[in-house]
Amino acid sequence: MTQTTAQTAVNSAVPHNLTGVDYSRPPKRKTGGLVIDVHTHTRDAALTREYLRVADEYGIGRIWTMAPLEDVDALKAAFPGRFEFIAIPKWQNLGPGDDFIAEWMRRLDEFYKRGSRLIKFHMAPGTQKRTGMDLDSPAIQRVMQHAYELGYHFMSHVGDPRAWFGEDRKYKPSEGQRSFDQQFPMLERMLEKYPDRIHMGAHMGGSLEDMDSLQKRLDRYPHYIVDSSATKWIVRAIAEQDTARVREFFIRNQDRILFGSDLVVGEKYDHDHYASRYWVHQKLWETDFNGLSPIEDPDAAEGKPRLAGLNLPVEVLEKMYHTNARHWLYGRVLGRTID
Ligand SMILES: [Zn+2]
């Protein structure tokens, strides 16, 4: 057995490389300029450095991150101008009760001093269960109002993959979990309440699997935008629907969709793990690739994750990759221009 064959055999056994992709050779981009990634989770500078090596290889420039408050100053010092910081609570403290809320409020002020103007509300069903709160809860409303008064704009994670809802799934109605459809009224109430702030819905607003409802939301709320992040979920949502129809959706809403990866920096991840996310996103948006996705997905039909590329027009890609982030996030949220 040659070295190359052995290498391929090893690679195809890892969850981020089922098909033996050489991630050290990024596909050539269809667009010019660097891509802005609006949704990541970086951490301390040393771990983040390895991730940035991949970001550099894949043409990713500026990055928005949900790094813990404790890492913000060090990241700023190590990588000047590379990151913008989205305000988050201390996830380890996540739970019911006033302590979590009080601590979150304090963090909001600290993030604000460091230049943050976007606050993330993580309201997936699992988070609702752990905290006993949702976007309508008085305590969360206090955080929201405090953020609003400081001048923050909003970001939210609402919903979760449709495959996770049901009696034999993660979110069981018999355990008091709301259905997929029931996740979104609280979001709409928040959108109604703060029409003068940008609101970015993570992971295609949690509802790429229900494009009709997402379209209505985008039409009704001109301040609502979405990011394209969460690789497995988005890849699956596209593969399970009619490609032409999804492509039409992206073209129609080309001014409202921002590129995001949802990459998480951590000790257990290596170069190829990080690269696999950018590789798949690039194939998804830029090509008409139709075949097995290299990233393992336990929720995929018959355990075979399919990647169905949308082959978006270059002018749509340009908007998704940087123009929209410049307009909505740097312009409207931060009130500044970038070169
Ligand atoms: Zn995320």
Side-chain angles (χ1 to χ4, degrees):
M1 193 183 268
T2 64
Q3 184 64 38
T4 318
T5 318
Q7 193 60 43
T8 307
V10 170
N11 281 345
S12 57
V14 297
H16 56 259
N17 201 350
L18 303 177
T19 56
V21 175
D22 180 358
Y23 289 125
S24 65
R25 294 156 50 124
K28 190 172 157 30
R29 285 223 180 258
K30 274 193 182 168
T31 53
L34 295 173
V35 175
I36 300 171
D37 186 341
V38 306
H39 188 139
T40 70
H41 302 264
T42 65
R43 290 165 54 199
D44 70 74
L47 287 173
T48 297
R49 198 174 297 279
E50 174 68 1
Y51 153 65
L52 285 178
R53 194 160 74 81
V54 176
D56 289 342
E57 287 171 10
Y58 280 77
I60 311 295
R62 294 169 181 268
I63 297 164
W64 288 60
T65 180
M66 283 156 260
L69 177 64
E70 288 77 358
D71 294 314
V72 172
D73 292 340
L75 283 170
K76 281 187 166 192
F79 314 107
R82 190 85 189 253
F83 289 105
E84 301 298 337
F85 299 88
I86 300 167
I88 55 166
K90 192 172 167 96
W91 294 120
Q92 298 92 316
N93 293 1
L94 192 71
D98 291 341
D99 289 354
F100 172 64
I101 296 295
E103 170 73 6
W104 192 359
M105 299 271 221
R106 191 186 68 75
R107 278 166 188 269
L108 263 188
D109 298 339
E110 292 301 316
F111 270 109
Y112 185 88
K113 283 183 211 157
R114 289 162 176 79
S116 300
R117 296 294 182 272
L118 190 63
I119 173 178
K120 163 98 171 279
F121 288 90
H122 194 278
M123 280 300 162
T127 319
Q128 293 174 45
K129 193 175 180 185
R130 266 174 75 188
T131 58
M133 294 185 278
D134 63 19
L135 289 176
D136 293 324
S137 300
I140 298 297
Q141 293 270 327
R142 283 209 312 277
V143 177
M144 222 178 262
Q145 189 60 28
H146 182 60
Y148 177 81
E149 283 162 14
L150 282 171
Y152 274 99
H153 294 258
F154 300 120
M155 177 174 178
S156 64
H157 174 137
V158 172
D160 249 343
R162 220 171 192 162
W164 298 1
F165 293 84
E167 210 40 61
D168 55 343
R169 309 295 173 87
K170 181 175 178 185
Y171 302 132
K172 301 175 184 21
S174 66
E175 291 175 2
Q177 295 279 1
R178 294 176 190 145
S179 68
F180 176 87
D181 291 336
Q182 287 168 334
Q183 300 300 317
F184 300 97
M186 66 177 178
L187 167 65
E188 293 180 356
R189 284 188 284 275
M190 184 176 173
L191 289 165
E192 297 278 350
K193 191 168 176 183
Y194 298 105
D196 56 338
R197 293 298 153 84
I198 307 307
H199 188 130
M200 183 161 77
H203 320 310
M204 296 301 294
S207 45
L208 187 57
E209 291 158 304
D210 180 5
M211 281 191 291
D212 291 340
S213 298
L214 180 54
Q215 188 63 59
K216 280 190 198 135
R217 226 164 275 135
L218 286 163
D219 291 343
R220 192 178 310 152
Y221 306 107
H223 55 299
Y224 188 53
I225 57 177
V226 294
D227 78 42
S228 71
S229 73
T231 315
K232 286 180 223 178
W233 183 8
I234 299 300
V235 163
R236 192 172 61 247
I238 292 175
E240 287 176 351
Q241 301 184 73
D242 177 56
T243 309
R245 197 170 159 251
V246 183
R247 186 172 191 271
E248 198 46 52
F249 179 90
F250 275 77
I251 292 171
R252 178 172 172 186
N253 298 292
Q254 59 185 272
D255 296 315
R256 313 280 290 279
I257 304 169
L258 287 68
F259 174 81
S261 65
D262 202 20
L263 265 167
V264 177
V265 165
E267 286 101 352
K268 62 184 172 186
Y269 301 130
D270 62 6
H271 171 280
D272 280 10
H273 168 90
Y274 298 130
S276 69
R277 272 54 188 170
Y278 285 133
W279 190 94
V280 164
H281 274 280
Q282 197 173 332
K283 289 284 182 190
L284 191 59
W285 312 125
E286 297 187 24
T287 76
D288 57 3
F289 180 96
N290 190 342
L292 195 63
S293 167
I295 300 176
E296 190 174 72
D297 177 9
D299 295 314
E302 295 159 15
K304 283 197 168 48
R306 195 165 73 84
L307 172 55
L310 295 183
N311 193 22
L312 294 171
V314 171
E315 60 272 23
V316 174
L317 292 169
E318 296 276 5
K319 288 182 177 181
M320 201 173 153
Y321 283 167
H322 33 83
T323 317
N324 292 344
R326 276 168 201 272
H327 171 72
W328 293 103
L329 296 185
Y330 291 93
R332 301 283 299 275
V333 170
L334 296 179
R336 61 181 165 90
T337 53
I338 51 167
D339 42 54

